[in-house]
Amino acid sequence: MPAAVFRFDRLSRLWRSWLRSESPRRPVLRWRRLQKSGLLLSCLLVALVSSWPWLVEPNLRPGLPAPFDAVAPKDARVVDSEALEQRRSSLVPRTFVQVLDLEETKRLRQRLERQLAELERVARSDDAERIGPVNLNDTEQQWLTARSQLERKRWDMALRRAANRMLSQGIVNTLAIEQLRQAASLQLADLGPAETPQRTLGSKLLASSFQGASNLRTDPGRSQRLIEELITKQGIPTIEVNRGDLITRKGEPISPQAYDVLDYFGLVSRSPRLGTWLARFTEALAGCGVLLLIMRRERPCLEASHGLLALALLLITQGCKLWFGAAVSPLAVVVPPTLLLAQGLGTTCGLAWMAIASLIWPLPVNGLGEGRLMIAAAIAAVAALQAGRLRSRAQLLQLAVLLPLAALAIEWLLLRSQINAGASAWTRLAPNAGELASEALLMGILLMGTILMIPLLESSFGLLTRARLMELADQERPLLRRLSSEAPGTFEHTLMICSLAEEGARAIGADVDLIRTGALYHDVGKLHAPEWFIENQTQPDNNPHDRLNDPFASAGVLQAHVDEGLRLARRYRLPRAVADFIPEHQGTLKMGYFLHRARQNDPNVAEQRFRYRGPTPRSRETGILMLADGCEAALRSLPPDTSDAQARDTVRRIVESRLRDGQLRLSSLSRAEVELLVRAFVRVWRRMRHRRIPYPIPAYKGYPA
């Protein structure tokens, strides 16, 4: 037992070291317990959906490749379920049994009573022009006015008896009004000849009450029994099987008729395959875990929402495979999510998701078989590799057009090669050119939809794409326009920092787009009081800190520019990776000038009160910005005749002070990378301080009026 614990401890330390990538000091964002629970629940859900077919579905299904050769053990006559279902489907639209609807019958009786009451009001009215329930001719009007109370009661009862007889026989809503009047007139034969007013008026009233209505409803149970009786009379379709007949050949797809024969001989198992299900469940669960670990290794500051997004896309993919079965298009369900994750989280994360989605694809694919899945994986890999380099949404749209065309061409070539090589079982089920074009079109539509959804997912899940970084780096954005107009000195300082940081990022292979955008926003907090920072002061003798004469309050002003910067970042919805530049570019540095002034008054002042609250840089990009911010003023102040070696020594002293202070401990910057940064900063300084040829300026010549 101690040996097992020792081995587990060693594996645990090895995994933690691998997770932290190339630097053991690289910080990993810790997830809260609730976030871990949500991720675990998502992994379990993906694993359950992936392994669901082995829990509830039979081991064989039409369309799947046969796992063995099957031979009929005896003669048999097997019901052809596909032909039976087709016959049943053809009978359903034209075979049904209707019964009386008591509620509708009651409603029609009430309607007749309302019309009788309205007709009585017309008879008692002195207004000859009053509109009744039916149109009356002169003879009917005279009879209605002259009839006695006893005649009215007898006539009403005759109409009710006729209505009951008609309703008991059933009324359809498609019967013509003339046919309905004729039927009502026949039911009123005891009222006299057909031309008498009491009979013609009664038939009109009954027809008006029942027109467009039906008191019949379809009875599903009786209709189904009638269909089964008709099928039995016509003969149930069967399959004749002789002993020794080959039912299926291993590797060939199972036809519906072969499935019926296999089921008849008891070769189809419908009991849960717990062993296979557990293996598939474990495989999918492990795949989800590996996916999260690879994503976290690639991005140590991976947020829980990013992991949930990747698992949600994996769950949607598995759900589509369950819903559509073997007819699912791998191109449609694999390529768009890969493109999305590669754009938002990086190429490695997109490739990892594509690999896991392909590995836990246990179901066969109709048409070109495993070739379609391999084509989808290849197209998804190309999408991931390209998406990590694209810097605009227009380039993404071009990719969304080119990828479906490439997939269509590859699938068509594969189909032609299989047909030329000989008609195999899969080739007989291979899609035609129209189906391939439809699949490519579907993939293109989903890619376009994914590109349209990226801005929504950027704000919802905190994704940071190249296109988003380029948009944030636009100097016409409101926050940067405020910075350039309200704090012009800070803005010029920011542009200088951008030049230094970009060159340093290129020198060590860091993220240039991220560091450019972060550098533009790192000092936006100075907008709360720009005149308190020396680069915005136009008069050297008008420094607010001198008038304040309180080093503690001045230190609070410096810290406030970090706090206000974070507040502005939240207000303008800056991504977290960009907002991190605001506090981390200062880290926990000393405010040396104000600490010195405070100690002139009190030598025992704690140094901690004059340090920024941090955190220290936790990525290479924020570490580069801290060094660029510290070196910018020193390089700007060097005299014109300074050599490159002297400039490097100056920059190196500043960098060494940051290293001794522990500011770069979590940035994962190596000593070799730091030296490359020093040389890159000096190259930028040299370009900025280049000499110019003095141009001769001619003397001004005046012209007479």
Side-chain angles (χ1 to χ4, degrees), residues 458-514:
E458 286 173 346
S459 58
S460 302
F461 291 90
L463 296 179
L464 188 59
T465 62
R466 295 289 163 192
R468 176 66 171 156
L469 284 174
M470 300 302 292
E471 292 169 357
L472 290 173
D474 183 5
Q475 296 181 17
E476 292 300 317
R477 294 188 70 85
L479 186 55
L480 295 181
R481 289 299 302 157
R482 278 191 59 194
L483 185 65
S484 64
S485 61
E486 298 177 23
T490 299
F491 187 69
E492 291 301 321
H493 158 77
T494 295
L495 296 180
M496 177 64 179
I497 295 296
C498 275
S499 300
L500 292 172
E502 284 185 46
E503 186 69 20
R506 291 189 185 95
I508 67 171
D511 193 333
V512 177
D513 295 326
L514 176 60

Side-chain angles (χ1 to χ4, degrees), residues 310-474:
L311 293 175
L313 293 174
L314 200 58
L315 180 62
I316 293 173
T317 301
Q318 300 301 316
C320 289
K321 289 191 293 187
L322 279 185
W323 184 265
F324 296 104
V328 69
S329 169
L331 286 170
V333 299
V334 172
V335 179
T338 302
L339 177 68
L340 172 62
L341 293 177
Q343 261 283 296
L345 300 177
T347 298
T348 303
C349 294
L351 289 174
W353 187 93
M354 180 271 296
I356 297 300
S358 302
L359 287 174
I360 59 175
W361 192 294
L363 300 177
V365 183
N366 281 348
L368 302 177
E370 299 300 327
R372 294 178 66 193
L373 184 56
M374 294 176 63
I375 293 172
I379 296 295
V382 173
L385 293 172
Q386 291 297 321
R389 303 173 184 175
L390 300 183
R391 299 162 60 83
S392 69
R393 305 198 192 277
Q395 292 175 326
L396 277 177
L397 291 174
Q398 294 174 359
L399 189 65
V401 173
L402 294 177
L403 287 179
L405 294 177
L408 176 61
I410 295 173
E411 284 195 338
W412 186 82
L413 291 174
L414 180 61
L415 175 61
R416 298 305 303 174
S417 64
Q418 287 192 356
I419 293 177
N420 294 335
S424 64
W426 284 114
T427 306
R428 290 195 298 270
L429 295 175
N432 55 36
E435 292 173 346
L436 293 180
S438 300
E439 184 180 13
L441 179 62
L442 175 62
M443 173 188 165
I445 293 173
L446 291 177
L447 283 174
M448 293 291 183
T450 300
I451 294 172
L452 292 176
M453 288 179 60
I454 285 178
L456 298 177
L457 297 175
E458 286 173 346
S459 58
S460 302
F461 291 90
L463 296 179
L464 188 59
T465 62
R466 295 289 163 192
R468 176 66 171 156
L469 284 174
M470 300 302 292
E471 292 169 357
L472 290 173
D474 183 5

Side-chain angles (χ1 to χ4, degrees), residues 192-363:
E195 294 80 9
T196 56
Q198 56 268 36
R199 187 169 173 180
T200 59
L201 180 57
S203 62
K204 285 183 181 180
L205 197 64
L206 288 175
S208 175
S209 300
F210 299 156
Q211 183 183 7
S214 174
N215 67 332
L216 299 175
R217 62 176 177 84
T218 301
D219 189 326
R222 295 171 187 256
S223 300
Q224 185 63 32
R225 287 195 293 271
L226 178 60
I227 291 173
E228 297 300 331
E229 290 175 3
L230 293 175
I231 291 176
T232 303
K233 291 179 181 178
Q234 295 176 5
I236 298 176
T238 59
I239 305 170
E240 295 290 339
V241 180
N242 298 320
R243 181 179 180 181
D245 286 350
L246 180 65
I247 305 174
T248 59
R249 190 181 299 278
K250 184 177 180 180
E252 293 186 357
I254 302 174
S255 66
Q257 291 76 20
Y259 178 78
D260 291 334
V261 177
L262 291 172
D263 193 20
Y264 178 83
F265 289 120
L267 299 177
V268 177
S269 174
R270 289 182 171 79
S271 59
R273 292 164 284 166
L274 295 179
T276 307
W277 172 80
L278 184 60
R280 295 293 184 180
F281 181 87
T282 306
E283 178 186 18
L285 185 61
C288 293
V290 170
L291 173 63
L292 290 177
L293 290 172
I294 292 176
M295 292 173 64
R296 204 168 188 191
R297 179 184 185 271
E298 175 66 17
R299 301 173 64 88
C301 292
L302 183 78
E303 299 183 21
S305 59
H306 299 161
L308 287 174
L309 176 62
L311 293 175
L313 293 174
L314 200 58
L315 180 62
I316 293 173
T317 301
Q318 300 301 316
C320 289
K321 289 191 293 187
L322 279 185
W323 184 265
F324 296 104
V328 69
S329 169
L331 286 170
V333 299
V334 172
V335 179
T338 302
L339 177 68
L340 172 62
L341 293 177
Q343 261 283 296
L345 300 177
T347 298
T348 303
C349 294
L351 289 174
W353 187 93
M354 180 271 296
I356 297 300
S358 302
L359 287 174
I360 59 175
W361 192 294
L363 300 177

